[in-house]
Amino acid sequence: MLNLFRRCPHIAPAYSRKPRIRNYHAGHSDVPSKGDKVVVAMSGGVDSSVVAKILADKDYDLSAVFMRNWDTQDESGTDYGCEWKKDWEDVQRVCRMLDIPVRMVDLSREYWLRVFEPSLRIWQLGHTPNPDVWCNKEIKFGALLEHLAEDPAFSKVPWLATGHYAHKDWKLTPDSSRPRPRLLKHRDTTKDQTYYLSSMRETSLSRALFPLSGLKKTEVRELAAAWKLPTATRKESMGICFVGEKRKFDEFLSQYVTPKPGPIIDITTGKQVAAHQGLWSHTIGQGAKISGLPRKMFVVKKDLEANTIFTAPGTDHPALYVNNIRVSDFNWVWADSPPKEVLQTSGLKARMKYRHRMTDVACTVYHDDLGMRIAFDEPQRAVAPGQIASIYLGDWCLGCGVIDSSE
């Protein structure tokens, strides 16, 4: 196995009307004051660049940080052609233009231990993890905040601003003398990223700033162009952060997970139609890519003990749908006060997501002797164990857990 430790990827239009930027902290005092230290987490993309410009126009003690989360030199023996270098160069260009001090922080070891290795263990089990969710909890709003808290330049943990499409407000509860932070959906539902932020701790959320909460992506692009930011035309980053955009996922993962061949079975006939090199190489709901069959086959189930993948023809086979899921390691953002309804026999009426790019669906959340169970109001398609189940009350994201099983 290679010794690896790459970055986690992760308006004024050009006319005379002055752009209107929603005041993301209006109406509450628990926000940065004049002269407060604010750090912008920059990735080299257009979103964090616009955040930097918005905050540069405020009366804050502003600085920027770039996280290096993946060391390609340990992987390939060279930094030649490394994407993080291009990202770092773009961050520095933006900060020079805005006259903001910036530095790089190497969190590759923390990323390896707190995100990549746990994800590897889930893949090895045959499930499908979501490293980007844990990257936000453990690295950007975890290790980075820890690093800043230990910096002698800061007398206390600074505010941390990011380019996420999310919103935050504060709510006074009967059990607390101070308002508590709530993670809320972005008004542009096509870009909302609360799913990726749903594992955040309340302490981290309380120091987080989301300056793009009132802006659509198109408006962010317009702002970047109007302000002539160096990253204005940069394309959006896609793919899992440590795999990148140029490599195939299976090829990358095969460097770390030992192959374990097994059969692929047609669930409608019980016959073997192909073989796989490991349960991790297929995801429930994904096309099975089996040639020579009359219809396209889709993965509907995995038997971990038998090391077997089951497939069915078509995208709407009944075996693709489930009514309930079991969830473990649930993280409520307000860890000390989960909704009381969860413990009641009637359960908590809520909505949930099990993928980022989906409309949340109605469900009921229960907690019984076996842990947490989520019952869907209507059967849901292609729910993959290992993925993240995020719970919402309206626009309010309450937290998330890992999908263990479905039925």
Side-chain angles (χ1 to χ4, degrees):
M1 182 176 291
L2 294 178
N3 177 28
L4 264 190
F5 284 117
R6 179 177 133 164
R7 186 189 58 78
C8 185
H10 266 159
I11 316 179
Y15 42 80
S16 59
R17 181 175 65 85
K18 185 177 180 180
R20 296 185 62 190
I21 301 172
R22 181 174 174 181
N23 187 348
Y24 57 89
H25 54 65
H28 196 278
S29 60
D30 202 351
V31 296
S33 301
K34 181 177 179 179
D36 276 0
K37 293 183 182 295
V38 177
V39 177
V40 186
M42 298 188 67
S43 65
V46 64
D47 296 326
S48 59
S49 298
V50 168
V51 166
K53 169 58 177 171
I54 291 173
L55 296 179
D57 293 337
K58 305 287 185 181
D59 291 325
Y60 302 143
D61 183 354
L62 186 65
S63 62
V65 65
F66 172 80
M67 297 182 300
R68 181 182 180 183
N69 291 345
W70 192 258
D71 193 342
T72 51
Q73 192 163 24
D74 284 329
E75 179 183 4
S76 63
T78 177
D79 273 342
Y80 179 77
C82 180
E83 291 182 19
W84 76 261
K85 282 195 169 184
K86 176 64 168 61
D87 296 335
W88 174 228
E89 290 170 0
D90 285 344
V91 167
Q92 293 178 90
R93 289 167 63 204
V94 172
C95 289
R96 280 195 298 269
M97 175 183 175
L98 301 177
D99 194 25
I100 301 173
V102 61
R103 57 177 166 146
M104 182 197 302
V105 176
D106 188 348
L107 298 175
S108 56
R109 177 174 174 79
E110 289 84 352
Y111 188 92
W112 176 272
L113 295 174
R114 295 163 65 166
V115 177
F116 187 63
E117 278 194 343
S119 296
L120 271 183
R121 289 193 288 270
I122 296 174
W123 275 308
Q124 287 170 334
L125 288 173
H127 291 167
T128 306
N130 194 318
D132 289 339
V133 172
W134 305 122
C135 179
N136 281 313
K137 176 184 179 181
E138 297 294 339
I139 305 302
K140 184 168 289 185
F141 293 101
L144 177 59
L145 274 177
E146 294 163 12
H147 176 87
L148 295 174
E150 296 172 357
D151 191 324
F154 302 113
S155 58
K156 61 180 181 179
V157 180
W159 298 92
L160 181 62
T162 73
H164 285 105
Y165 287 82
H167 184 53
K168 185 182 87 171
D169 73 359
W170 298 82
K171 182 178 177 63
L172 189 61
T173 68
D175 301 327
S176 176
S177 60
R178 286 178 56 85
R180 304 179 73 169
R182 298 194 305 171
L183 178 63
L184 302 173
K185 291 180 186 175
H186 191 271
R187 70 185 182 96
D188 183 353
T189 56
T190 63
K191 291 298 297 180
D192 172 59
Q193 292 179 308
T194 52
Y195 178 82
Y196 289 127
L197 297 167
S198 58
S199 65
M200 286 182 68
R201 303 173 182 90
E202 182 180 3
T203 52
S204 300
L205 181 60
S206 67
R207 304 305 294 174
L209 301 174
F210 304 123
L212 302 185
S213 67
L215 298 171
K216 293 184 176 181
K217 181 72 175 191
T218 52
E219 295 171 324
V220 170
R221 288 284 185 191
E222 289 172 355
L223 269 177
W227 288 332
K228 297 181 171 56
L229 295 177
T231 54
T233 59
R234 179 163 173 165
K235 294 181 179 179
E236 235 178 320
S237 176
M238 303 294 288
I240 298 176
C241 57
F242 48 78
V243 179
E245 302 177 31
K246 297 180 180 179
R247 289 187 289 187
K248 291 183 178 180
F249 174 77
D250 288 356
E251 293 176 359
F252 171 83
L253 202 56
S254 65
Q255 300 176 82
Y256 303 95
V257 181
T258 303
K260 189 178 180 181
I264 298 178
I265 305 295
D266 182 342
I267 200 170
T268 62
T269 65
K271 296 181 179 180
Q272 181 171 344
V273 291
H276 65 81
Q277 294 303 306
L279 296 178
W280 51 267
S281 62
H282 291 72
T283 299
I284 291 177
Q286 151 186 73
K289 299 180 181 178
I290 303 171
S291 60
L293 297 179
R295 294 185 64 187
K296 186 174 181 179
M297 305 293 283
F298 289 82
V299 178
V300 298
K301 180 183 176 183
K302 296 179 183 180
D303 186 327
L304 304 189
E305 292 186 3
N307 192 35
T308 299
I309 292 175
F310 292 91
T311 61
T315 60
D316 58 353
H317 191 277
L320 275 168
Y321 291 83
V322 301
N323 296 302
N324 298 270
I325 57 175
R326 285 283 177 181
V327 178
S328 65
D329 299 324
F330 199 90
N331 293 278
W332 299 101
V333 177
W334 292 2
D336 62 344
S337 55
K340 296 180 177 64
E341 295 89 341
V342 172
L343 298 176
Q344 298 172 359
T345 56
S346 57
L348 172 69
K349 302 296 182 182
R351 301 189 70 83
M352 67 88 67
K353 286 186 176 185
Y354 52 90
R355 284 193 299 269
H356 165 51
R357 295 189 181 279
M358 68 172 289
T359 301
D360 55 44
V361 296
C363 67
T364 305
V365 184
Y366 304 90
H367 195 283
D368 55 29
D369 293 340
L370 298 177
M372 183 172 289
R373 177 172 66 90
I374 299 176
F376 300 118
D377 284 19
E378 297 180 359
Q380 294 299 307
R381 180 185 180 278
V383 181
Q387 277 285 11
I388 299 301
S390 298
I391 303 298
Y392 296 81
L393 285 181
D395 290 339
W396 182 11
C397 181
L398 303 182
C400 71
V402 179
I403 299 173
D404 268 347
S405 60
S406 60
E407 56 189 43

